[in-house]
Amino acid sequence: MKKFLLAILVWVSFSSISYAAIEVYDFDSQQQQKQFQELSNTLRCPKCQNNTIADSNAPLAQDLRQKVYQMTKEGQSKQQIVDYMVARYGNFVTYNPPFNWSTAILWVGPGLVLIIGFGLILLRSRKMSKATQVGGWDEDKESKLNELLDKKQKGEEE
């Protein structure tokens, strides 16, 4: 009896795996299927932030996939679907947001950081080279150092 109950318990625990959801979408044409796949791989999940809606298992991503499927089946174009998603979730939902005032920092920011960084490095290196030239080494100091070295070597030889 114990073996029978154990077998049922094992069967129930492994059968729960079969309830894993695999989304299957039926399309009228190959073009609709291609459009759906492209959009699913180019729209970003607003919750996951760095996954596409195809890669994400978040409930919001599932809803977005369903909406993209529904709009694709209705015959809407790729741009109409992207416009709908941008209107609802903002430019963040696309991986390549358009250049405007709200996204300017995304496009210009990395270049500005590089330019400012190299500028600061250049200024600092020039400042350090001037400091070494002004209070730095000259021929008088070189001759004094040579004299001291000569005295030390003569002192060691004797």
Side-chain angles (χ1 to χ4, degrees):
M1 185 67 176
K2 288 182 181 180
K3 287 183 181 182
F4 180 70
L5 289 175
L6 182 61
I8 289 178
L9 180 65
V10 170
W11 177 74
V12 169
S13 64
F14 282 117
S15 66
S16 64
I17 295 172
S18 66
Y19 289 110
I22 298 174
E23 296 173 340
V24 178
Y25 298 102
D26 186 33
F27 296 97
D28 297 334
S29 68
Q30 195 74 339
Q31 181 184 2
Q32 284 183 344
Q33 183 177 3
K34 183 179 176 186
Q35 177 179 319
F36 175 78
Q37 288 173 347
E38 286 176 6
L39 286 169
S40 294
N41 290 316
T42 57
L43 292 174
R44 183 188 325 232
C45 174
K47 183 176 181 181
C48 302
Q49 297 188 3
N50 209 19
N51 287 343
T52 62
I53 61 172
D55 295 336
S56 176
N57 288 327
L60 180 58
Q62 292 172 357
D63 291 345
L64 290 176
R65 281 192 301 267
Q66 187 61 38
K67 188 64 178 176
V68 169
Y69 171 71
Q70 176 188 356
M71 293 174 80
T72 301
K73 286 286 280 185
E74 291 172 357
Q76 294 191 20
S77 71
K78 186 175 178 180
Q79 190 59 44
Q80 288 174 322
I81 296 171
V82 169
D83 289 343
Y84 171 83
M85 294 296 176
V86 167
R88 185 155 186 181
Y89 298 102
N91 286 322
F92 179 79
V93 79
T94 61
Y95 276 105
N96 294 320
F99 185 80
N100 57 34
W101 286 109
S102 64
T103 61
I105 192 70
L106 296 173
W107 291 100
V108 180
L112 286 176
V113 168
L114 286 174
I115 290 169
I116 291 170
F118 283 128
L120 289 174
I121 290 171
L122 185 64
L123 281 172
R124 187 171 178 149
S125 65
R126 284 188 179 179
K127 191 176 184 180
M128 299 227 359
S129 66
K130 286 182 181 179
T132 57
Q133 289 175 358
V134 172
W137 208 251
D138 59 3
E139 288 184 26
D140 186 40
K141 289 182 181 179
E142 182 76 29
S143 64
K144 287 181 183 179
L145 177 63
N146 287 332
E147 287 176 22
L148 289 171
L149 287 173
D150 289 339
K151 286 181 185 178
K152 183 176 180 183
Q153 285 178 354
K154 288 178 185 177
E156 288 178 1
E157 290 175 3
E158 295 175 4

